[in-house]
Amino acid sequence: MMTHLLIESLKPRKLESMKTNKHTIPGTPLFDEHAAQKGYALNKMCYSFNEKANRDAFLADPDGYMSRYGLNAEQRAAIESKQVLALLAAGGNAYYLAKFAGIFGLDMQDIGAQQTGVSKDAFKAKLVAANDQC
């Protein structure tokens, strides 16, 4: 009986949404179990960028590298656009996407500017203005 329960617990299952109190923030994609499944290949690829050899391999042949990880069309387009919001919508996790952003020299101000829809200089000005109010 115990062996049967263990085997049953190891079988893959279709995840169901939590039906409890989900909070939303307008304009912010929720990273839940569905996003995790959707973005698995993308996040796995971005995690691989922890190693320099993998970053170099991606830069040498982005299409081949994306194929190696099985990225879908939406994920490929998001990678090619270098747009963080598109990557998040494609199931990307912000922590893994930081690895990708670093390859192209994007810093947190670049990402903040993309997320707020302003230029990097305008985003920097907002940060300075907010600091001046403290």
Side-chain angles (χ1 to χ4, degrees):
M1 179 71 166
M2 187 62 100
T3 304
H4 174 71
L5 291 174
L6 178 61
I7 291 170
E8 285 299 310
S9 72
L10 296 174
K11 285 184 178 177
R13 299 185 187 138
K14 183 178 178 184
L15 292 176
E16 294 189 27
S17 291
M18 294 171 48
K19 303 210 187 289
T20 58
N21 200 8
K22 281 194 174 183
H23 298 284
T24 60
I25 300 170
T28 303
L30 179 65
F31 192 81
D32 60 7
E33 68 273 14
H34 298 290
Q37 286 183 336
K38 179 182 180 181
Y40 181 77
L42 173 63
N43 293 318
K44 186 174 180 180
M45 183 187 81
C46 289
Y47 181 79
S48 77
F49 297 148
N50 282 326
E51 296 180 27
K52 184 178 182 341
N54 292 332
R55 295 189 299 269
D56 293 342
F58 173 80
L59 289 171
D61 181 14
D63 190 56
Y65 203 83
M66 288 187 282
S67 293
R68 178 174 152 191
Y69 282 90
L71 269 62
N72 63 33
E74 178 188 14
Q75 292 166 339
R76 286 172 173 268
I79 287 285
E80 290 165 1
S81 75
K82 302 176 188 153
Q83 292 295 313
V84 173
L85 293 178
L87 290 161
L88 292 171
N93 178 291
Y95 295 103
Y96 296 127
L97 296 179
K99 304 293 181 190
F100 170 75
I103 289 175
F104 292 102
L106 299 175
D107 60 27
M108 291 308 293
Q109 292 175 352
D110 291 307
I111 294 168
Q114 285 184 18
Q115 291 179 312
T116 56
V118 299
S119 71
K120 185 175 180 177
D121 287 337
F123 185 75
K124 284 180 179 180
K126 280 183 168 184
L127 293 176
V128 169
N131 188 47
D132 290 343
Q133 293 177 358
C134 292

